[in-house]
Amino acid sequence: MELKTITLDLSNIKDLDSLYNELSLLFGFPDFCGKNVNALIDCMSGVRFPEEGMTKVNICRDECFMLEIKGLCDAPNEIKNTIIFVIECVNERYLIDKMNPAFLLHLIR
């Protein structure tokens, strides 16, 4: 399995709004993407479907993103829980569709 890496630095992310903004910048979500967990899951689930236009960064069916997260231990619980929940939901969608998970987490300080 081939891996592409995206780094999410949580050092300046103190609330959900700033998390949504940062993920939108990293993944290139469309302007109409809402700032809520469901919209985040929908957009991030589109990484293997460029024709949907939900992200500007995409992977093929046999690829996976390595989401490198810096500073997770020091992040507020709301941020930690949201990131873990979103990745779980996105990966579960792919598993239900008989595909490999789209995201692997790499936690670094």
Side-chain angles (χ1 to χ4, degrees):
M1 181 178 351
E2 202 172 314
L3 297 175
K4 292 182 179 180
T5 300
I6 290 185
T7 301
L8 173 62
D9 185 352
L10 298 178
S11 61
N12 292 318
I13 296 177
K14 305 301 180 209
D15 56 33
L16 287 178
D17 196 51
S18 57
L19 175 64
Y20 297 137
N21 290 337
E22 184 64 21
L23 288 171
S24 183
L25 287 172
L26 288 173
F27 286 94
F29 299 151
D31 292 337
F32 62 81
C33 180
K35 291 188 177 184
N36 60 69
V37 171
N38 291 330
L40 193 56
I41 292 167
D42 288 343
C43 286
M44 291 183 75
S45 293
V47 295
R48 288 196 174 130
F49 304 101
E51 66 278 5
E52 292 177 355
M54 298 306 284
T55 66
K56 290 185 179 163
V57 294
N58 299 104
I59 52 175
C60 296
R61 185 181 175 112
D62 60 339
E63 292 179 320
C64 186
F65 273 118
M66 175 71 70
L67 183 56
E68 183 178 78
I69 301 177
K70 294 182 179 180
L72 185 68
C73 288
D74 298 325
N77 284 337
E78 184 176 45
I79 302 300
K80 291 178 198 180
N81 293 337
T82 299
I83 291 169
I84 299 300
F85 179 75
V86 167
I87 298 302
E88 282 179 333
C89 289
V90 171
N91 283 343
E92 185 176 10
R93 282 184 176 185
Y94 281 109
L95 291 172
I96 288 169
D97 289 338
K98 309 270 191 261
M99 288 188 256
N100 288 328
F103 291 96
L104 298 176
L105 298 181
H106 179 208
L107 307 178
I108 57 175
R109 287 220 35 89

PDB file of all heavy atoms in Angstrom, residues 3 7 26-27 36 52-53 61 86-87 100:
ATOM      1  N   LEU A   3       1.678   5.252   0.527  1.00  0.00           N
ATOM      2  CA  LEU A   3       1.229   6.255   1.485  1.00  0.00           C
ATOM      3  C   LEU A   3       1.597   7.668   1.036  1.00  0.00           C
ATOM      4  O   LEU A   3       2.718   7.914   0.619  1.00  0.00           O
ATOM      5  CB  LEU A   3       1.858   6.023   2.862  1.00  0.00           C
ATOM      6  CG  LEU A   3       1.523   4.739   3.583  1.00  0.00           C
ATOM      7  CD1 LEU A   3       2.325   4.639   4.873  1.00  0.00           C
ATOM      8  CD2 LEU A   3       0.050   4.675   3.898  1.00  0.00           C
ATOM      9  N   THR A   7       0.385  16.527   7.103  1.00  0.00           N
ATOM     10  CA  THR A   7       0.702  16.846   8.489  1.00  0.00           C
ATOM     11  C   THR A   7      -0.292  17.852   9.045  1.00  0.00           C
ATOM     12  O   THR A   7      -0.521  18.906   8.463  1.00  0.00           O
ATOM     13  CB  THR A   7       2.137  17.403   8.602  1.00  0.00           C
ATOM     14  OG1 THR A   7       3.049  16.416   8.096  1.00  0.00           O
ATOM     15  CG2 THR A   7       2.495  17.716  10.047  1.00  0.00           C
ATOM     16  N   LEU A  26      -5.789  22.058   4.483  1.00  0.00           N
ATOM     17  CA  LEU A  26      -4.938  20.905   4.157  1.00  0.00           C
ATOM     18  C   LEU A  26      -5.520  20.043   3.041  1.00  0.00           C
ATOM     19  O   LEU A  26      -4.792  19.553   2.184  1.00  0.00           O
ATOM     20  CB  LEU A  26      -4.713  20.038   5.394  1.00  0.00           C
ATOM     21  CG  LEU A  26      -3.802  20.589   6.474  1.00  0.00           C
ATOM     22  CD1 LEU A  26      -3.819  19.688   7.701  1.00  0.00           C
ATOM     23  CD2 LEU A  26      -2.377  20.736   5.952  1.00  0.00           C
ATOM     24  N   PHE A  27      -6.836  19.837   3.088  1.00  0.00           N
ATOM     25  CA  PHE A  27      -7.468  18.930   2.135  1.00  0.00           C
ATOM     26  C   PHE A  27      -8.155  19.645   0.975  1.00  0.00           C
ATOM     27  O   PHE A  27      -8.536  19.007  -0.002  1.00  0.00           O
ATOM     28  CB  PHE A  27      -8.477  18.024   2.853  1.00  0.00           C
ATOM     29  CG  PHE A  27      -7.811  16.961   3.671  1.00  0.00           C
ATOM     30  CD1 PHE A  27      -7.564  17.161   5.015  1.00  0.00           C
ATOM     31  CD2 PHE A  27      -7.417  15.757   3.099  1.00  0.00           C
ATOM     32  CE1 PHE A  27      -6.934  16.190   5.782  1.00  0.00           C
ATOM     33  CE2 PHE A  27      -6.795  14.780   3.853  1.00  0.00           C
ATOM     34  CZ  PHE A  27      -6.559  14.991   5.198  1.00  0.00           C
ATOM     35  N   ASN A  36     -18.958  21.385  10.669  1.00  0.00           N
ATOM     36  CA  ASN A  36     -19.496  20.452  11.639  1.00  0.00           C
ATOM     37  C   ASN A  36     -18.915  19.071  11.359  1.00  0.00           C
ATOM     38  O   ASN A  36     -18.323  18.836  10.304  1.00  0.00           O
ATOM     39  CB  ASN A  36     -21.031  20.439  11.605  1.00  0.00           C
ATOM     40  CG  ASN A  36     -21.573  20.034  10.258  1.00  0.00           C
ATOM     41  OD1 ASN A  36     -21.451  18.887   9.846  1.00  0.00           O
ATOM     42  ND2 ASN A  36     -22.175  20.997   9.546  1.00  0.00           N
ATOM     43  N   GLU A  52     -16.150  13.701  -7.175  1.00  0.00           N
ATOM     44  CA  GLU A  52     -17.121  14.320  -6.276  1.00  0.00           C
ATOM     45  C   GLU A  52     -16.740  15.757  -5.908  1.00  0.00           C
ATOM     46  O   GLU A  52     -17.580  16.537  -5.480  1.00  0.00           O
ATOM     47  CB  GLU A  52     -17.274  13.494  -4.998  1.00  0.00           C
ATOM     48  CG  GLU A  52     -17.921  12.143  -5.229  1.00  0.00           C
ATOM     49  CD  GLU A  52     -18.001  11.315  -3.965  1.00  0.00           C
ATOM     50  OE1 GLU A  52     -17.465  11.739  -2.909  1.00  0.00           O
ATOM     51  OE2 GLU A  52     -18.603  10.230  -4.019  1.00  0.00           O
ATOM     52  N   GLY A  53     -15.449  16.101  -6.025  1.00  0.00           N
ATOM     53  CA  GLY A  53     -14.991  17.459  -5.741  1.00  0.00           C
ATOM     54  C   GLY A  53     -15.006  17.844  -4.274  1.00  0.00           C
ATOM     55  O   GLY A  53     -15.064  19.031  -3.956  1.00  0.00           O
ATOM     56  N   ARG A  61      -7.578   4.056  -5.149  1.00  0.00           N
ATOM     57  CA  ARG A  61      -8.230   3.025  -4.335  1.00  0.00           C
ATOM     58  C   ARG A  61      -7.235   2.225  -3.492  1.00  0.00           C
ATOM     59  O   ARG A  61      -7.533   1.845  -2.375  1.00  0.00           O
ATOM     60  CB  ARG A  61      -9.027   2.096  -5.242  1.00  0.00           C
ATOM     61  CG  ARG A  61      -9.826   1.077  -4.485  1.00  0.00           C
ATOM     62  CD  ARG A  61     -10.582   0.149  -5.433  1.00  0.00           C
ATOM     63  NE  ARG A  61     -11.241  -0.879  -4.671  1.00  0.00           N
ATOM     64  CZ  ARG A  61     -12.547  -0.984  -4.550  1.00  0.00           C
ATOM     65  NH1 ARG A  61     -13.327  -0.130  -5.148  1.00  0.00           N
ATOM     66  NH2 ARG A  61     -13.068  -1.956  -3.836  1.00  0.00           N
ATOM     67  N   VAL A  86     -13.715  11.305  13.591  1.00  0.00           N
ATOM     68  CA  VAL A  86     -13.813  11.523  12.146  1.00  0.00           C
ATOM     69  C   VAL A  86     -13.033  10.453  11.385  1.00  0.00           C
ATOM     70  O   VAL A  86     -13.553   9.862  10.426  1.00  0.00           O
ATOM     71  CB  VAL A  86     -13.334  12.945  11.772  1.00  0.00           C
ATOM     72  CG1 VAL A  86     -13.120  13.084  10.270  1.00  0.00           C
ATOM     73  CG2 VAL A  86     -14.326  13.980  12.276  1.00  0.00           C
ATOM     74  N   ILE A  87     -11.811  10.173  11.803  1.00  0.00           N
ATOM     75  CA  ILE A  87     -10.995   9.162  11.114  1.00  0.00           C
ATOM     76  C   ILE A  87     -11.648   7.786  11.226  1.00  0.00           C
ATOM     77  O   ILE A  87     -11.686   7.028  10.259  1.00  0.00           O
ATOM     78  CB  ILE A  87      -9.549   9.160  11.647  1.00  0.00           C
ATOM     79  CG1 ILE A  87      -8.875  10.508  11.378  1.00  0.00           C
ATOM     80  CG2 ILE A  87      -8.742   8.015  11.035  1.00  0.00           C
ATOM     81  CD1 ILE A  87      -8.821  10.928   9.928  1.00  0.00           C
ATOM     82  N   ASN A 100      -9.721  -0.717   1.598  1.00  0.00           N
ATOM     83  CA  ASN A 100      -8.805  -0.472   2.710  1.00  0.00           C
ATOM     84  C   ASN A 100      -9.118   0.875   3.346  1.00  0.00           C
ATOM     85  O   ASN A 100      -9.622   1.783   2.680  1.00  0.00           O
ATOM     86  CB  ASN A 100      -7.352  -0.458   2.225  1.00  0.00           C
ATOM     87  CG  ASN A 100      -6.856  -1.827   1.857  1.00  0.00           C
ATOM     88  OD1 ASN A 100      -7.270  -2.824   2.442  1.00  0.00           O
ATOM     89  ND2 ASN A 100      -5.981  -1.896   0.871  1.00  0.00           N
TER      90      ASN A 100
END
